[in-house]
Amino acid sequence: MTLNLNNLNKSIINCNKCSRLIEFRKKILKNKRKQFKDEKYWGRPITGFGDINGKILFVGLAPAAHGGTRTGRVFTGDKSSEFLYKCLFKANISNQNTSEHVNDGLKLNNAFITAALKCVPPQDKPEKKELMNCFNFFQKEIYLLKKLKIIVALGKVAFDTCLEFYKKYYKFDKKYKFTHGKIYNLPKGVRLVGCYHPSPRNVNTGRINETKMTNLFKKIKQIN
Ligand code: SF4
């Protein structure tokens, strides 16, 4: 079967390789957040989203328990996505400044967004074997992104995970240090840039703000 985004997404959604993560998801579905208690949670692995012909790939570590795992779309329906999309919209990478649910009309321009691990792990900490299992999907997404020029890793853990991925699949052995805004070279002419995660903690402590993040997004758009 020829690989395309549709059949890749089907295999992601139906994957049940990591039993610990499946058990954890069951717990989330049993203990919904109060404000979402009447909602049906998606409760399955999360696929990537956006323009597969885009040159920019945004990568988070994993979907959020009550964000992506609830809504069924990566970076959707939580505080991190609220902040992220304000910046993506200002940089003209998204057509709207919110990402609330799968039918909200959101589109990305020249960009795709995914998580290196497609299922939410306990305490946001995947085990190595879970990452290795899921890299198989991440690798296929990268393969399908034929025009990929730049990977924006959202947070240090996502940044280190991208390096781990390139180590495994491309025998890449450079050690790069996560620094917000610094651009590094990866194999096949792809660049990697670290970007603070758009989490409430980073926003509330002032580590990141809309101007800083938007300016970085505008800068990466210029990369060819
Ligand atoms: S994390 Fe990835 S490999 Fe593991 S169950 Fe979820 S989709 Fe499958």
Side-chain angles (χ1 to χ4, degrees):
M1 189 170 48
T2 322
L3 179 68
N4 61 40
L5 193 60
N6 266 348
N7 55 40
L8 172 61
N9 286 348
K10 271 187 202 151
S11 32
I12 293 173
I13 288 167
N14 291 308
C15 180
N16 52 17
K17 218 168 180 177
C18 309
S19 49
R20 187 183 77 112
L21 302 186
I22 290 164
E23 282 313 304
F24 181 59
R25 219 163 44 217
K26 283 184 192 157
K27 278 189 198 152
I28 293 171
L29 301 192
K30 264 194 203 152
N31 298 292
K32 294 179 185 177
R33 280 247 170 96
K34 211 170 159 190
Q35 75 258 44
F36 307 126
K37 71 176 174 27
D38 297 325
E39 254 183 61
K40 189 173 182 324
Y41 275 38
W42 165 251
R44 299 178 82 168
I46 300 297
T47 66
F49 167 77
D51 177 8
I52 199 69
N53 294 311
K55 71 168 189 180
I56 309 168
L57 172 63
F58 293 91
V59 181
L61 174 68
H66 304 276
T69 306
R70 172 177 64 88
T71 59
R73 191 173 67 195
V74 64
F75 279 102
T76 299
D78 63 1
K79 289 282 175 204
S80 297
S81 49
E82 212 176 286
F83 180 81
L84 177 67
Y85 274 92
K86 280 183 190 162
C87 305
L88 288 173
F89 180 67
K90 281 188 180 169
N92 199 23
I93 296 175
S94 65
N95 67 333
Q96 58 188 48
N97 62 1
T98 56
S99 169
E100 289 174 356
H101 55 85
V102 288
N103 297 317
D104 60 5
L106 179 64
K107 286 196 176 73
L108 296 183
N109 305 323
N110 208 9
F112 193 77
I113 185 162
T114 197
L117 186 84
K118 312 298 185 207
C119 297
V120 55
Q123 280 98 45
D124 292 324
K125 288 199 179 102
E127 288 177 355
K128 183 133 186 170
K129 69 170 185 222
E130 293 162 347
L131 271 178
M132 293 300 142
N133 286 345
C134 218
F135 275 175
N136 174 41
F137 293 135
F138 189 37
Q139 195 253 341
K140 289 185 169 119
E141 285 175 324
I142 289 194
Y143 171 80
L144 289 171
L145 284 156
K146 301 287 187 208
K147 297 183 183 159
L148 180 63
K149 288 281 172 207
I150 184 146
I151 297 178
V152 183
L154 297 169
K156 182 184 181 304
V157 187
F159 182 89
D160 291 342
T161 304
C162 285
L163 289 177
E164 191 72 24
F165 167 81
Y166 271 86
K167 206 161 91 185
K168 178 174 160 67
Y169 281 89
Y170 296 86
K171 311 263 176 277
F172 181 73
D173 61 0
K174 292 223 167 65
K175 288 183 177 56
Y176 293 152
K177 189 172 174 287
F178 173 84
T179 308
H180 178 85
K182 194 162 175 189
I183 298 170
Y184 298 97
N185 291 324
L186 288 173
K188 296 191 176 277
V190 174
R191 313 286 189 92
L192 173 67
V193 60
C195 173
Y196 287 129
H197 192 279
S199 66
R201 189 161 49 149
N202 284 342
V203 175
N204 296 339
T205 55
R207 182 175 277 161
I208 191 73
N209 58 47
E210 277 181 43
T211 308
K212 204 169 166 181
M213 196 174 256
T214 305
N215 285 345
L216 176 59
F217 292 169
K218 284 183 179 166
K219 183 173 149 188
I220 58 155
K221 280 177 68 181
Q222 308 308 318
I223 290 174
N224 282 309

